[in-house]
Amino acid sequence: EFRRVLFRSRAALQGENFGDRCDAYCRIRPIIERRLRSVLRGYRVCLAHWMVQSWGELSGDVCFQQDWSFVDERRVRSIHLWIPLCDVEENRGCLEVVSGTHRLSCDHRACDDESRFREMTPRLMRDYRSAIPLEAGEAVFYDGALLHRAAGNRAFRRRVAVGVVLIPDGAPLLYCRRVSPAAVEVFLVDDSFFWRQLSGRRPEEGARSLGVTASTNRQHYTGMLGWLTPVEDPAVPRPAARVSNLAA
């Protein structure tokens, strides 16, 4: 079903054009909502988009990152959904995660922040990384604060995936924009905001400022890893939930 929708979508799948983002959101959202009824209740779709990685593109081979904050994580959590539309192995851009890192911090993460884990990446790759190969249509659910990355695509075909953000029903949807190295401005927005607004800009309409709050974008260092368990330990739980045929 996703492949049929993708074929009908505009060419600029990840462009900054308002119409393209709206088109992707409006096509993907009803499919996700139908499929999720038997899997996850009490959450709604606030962001849905295509994620395209061309063959030979190694942009994912940089560093681990956390997704933006979409809710106040001191009270509720967002769930992020990643669905590849082709089989993905480690050489074709599969998702890689660091289990347990969603507990690092509840600070608001701004949309235009660079990864704070660049200095830690070599150690994370060596001792803590878990790769999640998937078949086409399988889905990974993960906490938005979990450290993750999509590996570089070394195969000879492009990798297309669907990215979705879910937040609890009734939870305020937030947009955070960095105003200094130590603070972000937090806005209350509606469910259409993320396909109307270009990330990084201060909202001009459809958003209400909730004020500025402390949140640092300083680099994290390997000294913070003492409480994590290396992936060689067989007691490590699965880092994400996996559901088959969500995109069938």
Side-chain angles (χ1 to χ4, degrees):
E1 188 170 359
F2 277 127
R3 290 192 182 100
R4 292 195 298 270
V5 168
L6 177 62
F7 180 77
R8 293 195 299 267
S9 291
R10 295 177 175 84
L13 299 177
Q14 292 178 303
E16 294 189 341
N17 179 274
F18 166 89
D20 293 343
R21 297 199 310 276
C22 177
D23 181 70
Y25 175 84
C26 293
R27 291 179 185 274
I28 294 171
R29 180 175 180 172
I31 300 174
I32 291 294
E33 289 177 337
R34 288 198 302 271
R35 303 293 181 180
L36 283 180
R37 287 171 187 161
S38 61
V39 179
L40 182 67
R41 295 183 181 275
Y43 278 77
R44 71 182 192 271
V45 176
C46 68
L47 178 66
H49 59 112
W50 306 112
M51 306 176 72
V52 182
Q53 193 178 44
S54 301
W55 71 270
E57 183 179 339
L58 306 182
S59 58
D61 278 352
V62 180
C63 51
F64 285 94
Q65 64 181 8
Q66 297 169 303
D67 289 332
W68 313 338
S69 296
F70 291 87
V71 293
D72 185 344
E73 293 176 352
R74 297 167 297 182
R75 296 176 172 84
V76 296
R77 309 294 292 200
S78 60
I79 296 178
H80 297 223
L81 178 58
W82 194 78
I83 312 170
L85 303 188
C86 56
D87 295 349
V88 288
E89 303 291 339
E90 288 193 61
N91 70 335
R92 199 183 178 190
C94 77
L95 200 68
E96 299 177 346
V97 302
V98 181
S99 183
T101 48
H102 61 290
R103 299 191 297 270
L104 277 173
S105 168
C106 291
D107 290 350
H108 292 300
R109 299 179 301 279
C111 63
D112 48 355
D113 278 352
E114 295 183 358
S115 174
R116 296 180 292 173
F117 302 89
R118 184 173 57 253
E119 303 294 335
M120 299 169 64
T121 291
R123 178 78 181 279
L124 293 171
M125 289 294 296
R126 188 185 71 207
D127 296 334
Y128 300 99
R129 174 182 66 98
S130 295
I132 310 178
L134 296 173
E135 297 179 0
E138 287 190 321
V140 174
F141 294 77
Y142 63 95
D143 189 292
L146 185 73
L147 277 179
H148 66 282
R149 70 174 203 156
N153 182 8
R154 292 173 171 81
F156 290 95
R157 292 177 294 172
R158 72 174 183 171
R159 187 222 68 196
V160 181
V162 176
V164 178
V165 176
L166 309 163
I167 67 173
D169 290 339
L173 178 60
L174 305 180
Y175 169 75
C176 302
R177 179 177 178 270
R178 184 157 298 283
V179 295
S180 78
V184 298
E185 186 174 8
V186 181
F187 295 87
L188 180 65
V189 300
D190 61 33
D191 285 7
S192 67
F193 176 81
F194 289 101
W195 52 262
R196 291 188 287 104
Q197 170 76 23
L198 292 179
S199 63
R201 297 182 181 177
R202 194 178 194 280
E204 297 179 356
E205 58 181 17
R208 177 166 62 89
S209 177
L210 301 179
V212 175
T213 186
S215 175
T216 181
N217 66 347
R218 73 182 188 279
Q219 282 292 307
H220 292 314
Y221 293 93
T222 53
M224 301 180 65
L225 298 176
W227 57 275
L228 292 177
T229 305
V231 295
E232 291 81 6
D233 187 335
V236 173
R238 291 183 63 87
R242 178 172 170 172
V243 178
S244 297
N245 299 322
L246 193 65

